[in-house]
Amino acid sequence: QEGDCADCIGVQRGTLANCPDAPTCASSQDDQGPKAQWSNAFREPWVYEGTPEQAREKIKFQIKRFGGKVIRVEGDYIRSEFRTQNLPGQPDEVDDVEFLVPADDCLVQFRSARRPSKTSSSPAGDFGANKRRLEDIRIALHWEKVPVLRNRKRALIFFESPFDTFGPASGDDPAASERDDLAAPTKFDSDPLSLPVEPLRLPK
């Protein structure tokens, strides 16, 4: 579904859509889905070398190389589809795979999820197909993952510990787009001691 809702595919308020209520999603920008917990839905964004235009061309090439079809290219955004053959007599499974390559950054954000079906809503989901495909594309591109240490959830409340967990901010917070101070704590940015995250700038 395309549109301006939080769960619609496409770019809204500068981010990709939230993960759906199914265990088939992999996203570099959302970790708050009811079934898409941070431990299995979140994947680190990628960092690339060269210009954003070169990065987008490389992504489109790999989409086609891995059997996908580029559906839409608009500015920094690429949307593609991958089809998986189902059982005889059943329609193919369709995965919507999206990439966002901002012009003022050197990171690649992405989201990949299977469209609603009997398979995607089962506990096994897609058996990890979307996550494996993204990792295969990243390896083929020779790009590195960027560690994300945000939204510290302290196991011991007042002290940092090896048991703390981290994750990215979610697009569920409609007030986020209205704040100029990205360091202000929110319900997802629960550690007031965290340093503000600044986008990586390309050298001029």
Side-chain angles (χ1 to χ4, degrees):
Q1 179 186 2
E2 293 189 84
D4 58 2
C5 61
D7 296 321
C8 295
I9 60 176
V11 181
Q12 301 299 328
R13 301 194 303 272
T15 64
L16 298 172
N18 298 331
C19 279
D21 186 13
T24 65
C25 185
S27 172
S28 63
Q29 292 188 321
D30 177 51
D31 65 337
Q32 305 297 332
K35 293 182 181 178
Q37 298 301 322
W38 180 82
S39 60
N40 62 31
F42 175 69
R43 292 295 182 270
E44 296 93 340
W46 308 335
V47 62
Y48 63 88
E49 296 181 355
T51 67
E53 293 77 13
Q54 291 171 334
R56 288 190 284 269
E57 289 302 316
K58 290 179 180 179
I59 290 172
K60 288 189 288 183
F61 175 80
Q62 294 299 338
I63 288 171
K64 298 173 184 177
R65 178 172 176 262
F66 280 91
K69 181 180 180 181
V70 176
I71 301 299
R72 176 183 167 197
V73 178
E74 184 175 333
D76 303 337
Y77 174 74
I78 301 171
R79 176 190 163 197
S80 62
E81 290 181 2
F82 287 81
R83 293 182 175 270
T84 302
Q85 188 173 6
N86 212 329
L87 297 173
Q90 298 293 323
D92 292 347
E93 300 286 356
V94 181
D95 298 332
D96 291 301
V97 186
E98 306 168 272
F99 297 92
L100 182 62
V101 188
D104 61 348
D105 205 340
C106 62
L107 295 183
V108 176
Q109 306 289 350
F110 51 81
R111 176 188 180 276
S112 183
R114 182 152 294 182
R115 292 183 186 174
S117 66
K118 292 182 179 180
T119 301
S120 65
S121 60
S122 70
D126 61 352
F127 297 95
N130 277 281
K131 299 175 180 66
R132 285 195 302 272
R133 183 189 300 116
L134 283 170
E135 183 65 3
D136 289 343
I137 291 175
R138 183 192 69 79
I139 292 172
L141 289 165
H142 303 288
W143 291 347
E144 297 294 330
K145 301 176 184 178
V146 178
V148 175
L149 298 178
R150 287 196 64 193
N151 301 335
R152 178 189 291 273
K153 298 178 182 178
R154 301 191 180 198
L156 302 179
I157 301 180
F158 297 109
F159 305 97
E160 296 182 7
S161 77
F163 304 104
D164 295 352
T165 58
F166 300 86
S170 170
D172 278 330
D173 185 3
S177 61
E178 301 174 1
R179 287 193 297 266
D180 293 328
D181 181 9
L182 297 181
T186 70
K187 65 177 181 177
F188 298 123
D189 290 321
S190 55
D191 187 357
L193 301 179
S194 298
L195 294 175
V197 176
E198 298 292 341
L200 296 176
R201 302 294 181 181
L202 292 172
K204 295 182 179 180

